[in-house]
C-alpha cells in the first residue's frame, strides 16, 4: 500500500459504532473501498485475520464472518482454507500489479 489510501488518510470512515447500510458514513467508507486498487487483497487479508479485524469496513464489506463460514463450509478448515486464501491473495496482488503497469 502506498499510504495514500482512504483507509490510511481517513480511518474514521471505516470504523463506526453501527454498520447499518443506510448510514452516510458507512456508504462513504464502502464507496471509497470500491475505488481502491488494493480492495481484493484487503478482503483476503481481512478474511485470513479475523482476530485482527473483528469490525470495520474492509474491502467494502462488513459481513466477513458470514463469508468465512461459507468458505469453511466449502473448503473445510485447515490447509485447504489457508491455501485458498494464500492463492487468492497472490492472484489479487498480481492482478493489481499488472493493471498498474498498463
Amino acid at each position: 500500500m502506498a499510504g495514500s489510501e482512504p483507509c490510511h488518510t481517513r480511518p474514521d470512515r471505516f470504523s463506526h459504532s453501527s454498520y447499518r447500510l443506510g448510514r452516510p458514513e458507512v456508504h462513504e467508507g464502502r464507496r471509497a473501498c470500491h475505488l481502491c486498487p488494493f480492495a481484493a487483497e484487503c478482503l483476503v487479508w481481512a478474511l485470513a485475520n479475523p482476530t485482527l479485524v473483528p469490525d470495520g469496513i474492509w474491502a467494502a464489506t462488513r459481513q466477513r464472518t458470514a463469508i468465512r463460514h461459507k468458505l469453511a463450509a466449502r473448503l473445510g478448515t485447515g490447509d485447504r482454507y489457508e491455501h485458498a486464501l494464500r492463492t487468492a491473495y497472490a492472484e489479487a496482488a498480481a492482478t493489481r500489479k499488472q493493471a498498474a503497469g498498463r
Side-chain angles (χ1 to χ4, degrees):
M1 293 187 139
S4 59
E5 294 79 20
C7 56
H8 286 270
T9 60
R10 290 283 314 274
D12 57 304
R13 289 181 176 176
F14 303 92
S15 184
H16 309 288
S17 59
S18 170
Y19 294 95
R20 288 190 321 247
L21 289 178
R23 293 185 60 163
E25 58 273 17
V26 172
H27 176 71
E28 188 178 323
R30 292 184 74 199
R31 186 181 51 168
C33 284
H34 280 294
L35 300 173
C36 181
F38 294 94
E41 292 161 272
C42 179
L43 176 59
V44 175
W45 188 88
L47 290 172
N49 296 281
T51 58
L52 298 177
V53 290
D55 60 8
I57 299 170
W58 290 76
T61 66
R62 58 184 179 76
Q63 299 173 328
R64 290 174 305 283
T65 301
I67 295 170
R68 282 187 205 102
H69 288 299
K70 288 178 184 178
L71 284 172
R74 252 187 214 176
L75 302 171
T77 57
D79 291 342
R80 278 186 72 197
Y81 184 86
E82 291 175 19
H83 176 71
L85 290 175
R86 279 194 302 274
T87 300
Y89 187 88
E91 288 173 359
T95 299
R96 179 189 46 80
K97 288 175 185 173
Q98 184 179 24
R102 291 182 189 165

